[in-house]
Amino acid sequence: MKQVIAARTDVGMGQGKLAAQVAHASLKAYEYADEDVKRRWKAEGQQKVVVKVGSERELYRVAEEAKARGLPSAVVEDAGRTQLEPGTATAVAVGPAPDADVDEVTGDLSLF
């Protein structure tokens, strides 16, 4: 069981902003998982991997593929209080779900 969070590299987020957006995406996708998946993932150490996407289009492609496969997923759009314009899509989390299922969606993305 794992979760992969894909964050955009083209919007110029600072390290703190990046960390916050990844955390938001992780929690939001977790909330969409069923209770058995949540328990398993927590029991197995809550593995998370952060990867890169280079554009909004690529981020939404990941989100759409995860949704089509029935995987818990969530896109985060920034509130616009600091570095980014309101509504800027910054990250998408896929999972928690079985490793192979998540890899089918995110396996071709580079580590952040």
Side-chain angles (χ1 to χ4, degrees), residues 12-24 78 82-83:
M13 289 183 278
Q15 291 180 345
K17 171 62 87 177
L18 173 65
Q21 298 303 294
V22 166
H24 290 319
D78 193 64
T82 56
Q83 300 175 12

Side-chain angles (χ1 to χ4, degrees), residues 65-89:
E65 191 170 338
K67 184 176 180 179
R69 294 176 183 271
L71 299 174
S73 62
V75 171
V76 171
E77 295 179 352
D78 193 64
R81 294 189 188 106
T82 56
Q83 300 175 12
L84 304 173
E85 292 298 316
T88 302

Side-chain angles (χ1 to χ4, degrees), residues 3-6 21-22 24-32 59-60 62-63 66-67 71-77 90-95:
Q3 183 181 67
V4 172
I5 304 98
Q21 298 303 294
V22 166
H24 290 319
S26 176
L27 181 58
K28 192 173 179 182
Y30 170 82
E31 291 173 342
Y32 291 118
L59 183 141
Y60 280 111
V62 170
K67 184 176 180 179
L71 299 174
S73 62
V75 171
V76 171
E77 295 179 352
T90 57
V92 59
V94 180

